[in-house]
Amino acid sequence: MSADEFIWATRGRTWGFRFLRDGGVPDPLPVYEQVFGGVGGDPELCRAVGDRVAVRFPDPEGRTDRAGRVIPHEFVVFAPLAERITSVETAREVLWPLVVDEYARVWETAGTR
């Protein structure tokens, strides 16, 4: 599994929206905006956009930020990994194990890797 197979954006306990994985893209923001554009604020979603998949789900461990807001995890998944992501449930099963340890290390920090 390559770190370049997805972009991952989330928040931490004390820090706001950040990209923790850039998918190998020099600037992940335009790609993120293209794939998540117009999807609304549903807490869970899985939407194919061309050969990419936009995925959002709340923190599986129920983490919240200092204000008590649920932490969302948002992914832009590229092919071929995107072919395995057909629902929020499969996204959680496939993606969460890839980032769970990394997130545990950074969520209470200032958000740097």
Side-chain angles (χ1 to χ4, degrees), residues 39-97:
V39 298
D42 293 340
E44 294 190 348
L45 74 91
C46 181
R47 181 179 99 166
V49 179
D51 63 349
R52 300 171 180 159
V53 175
V55 174
R56 178 186 301 137
F57 54 81
D59 186 88
E61 298 179 23
R63 292 182 183 99
T64 59
D65 64 14
R66 256 190 324 205
R69 296 174 294 196
V70 173
I71 301 291
H73 296 279
E74 297 180 323
F75 299 86
V76 176
V77 187
F78 302 110
L81 181 59
E83 296 165 8
R84 295 175 54 194
I85 309 299
T86 57
S87 68
V88 172
E89 290 75 24
T90 60
R92 237 188 308 264
E93 291 171 10
V94 171
L95 298 172
W96 188 244

Side-chain angles (χ1 to χ4, degrees), residues 6 8 20-21 57 73 75 94-106:
F6 57 88
W8 172 33
L20 295 183
R21 297 244 184 136
F57 54 81
H73 296 279
F75 299 86
V94 171
L95 298 172
W96 188 244
L98 301 176
V99 299
V100 64
D101 292 338
E102 181 178 346
Y103 191 63
R105 284 191 304 272
V106 301

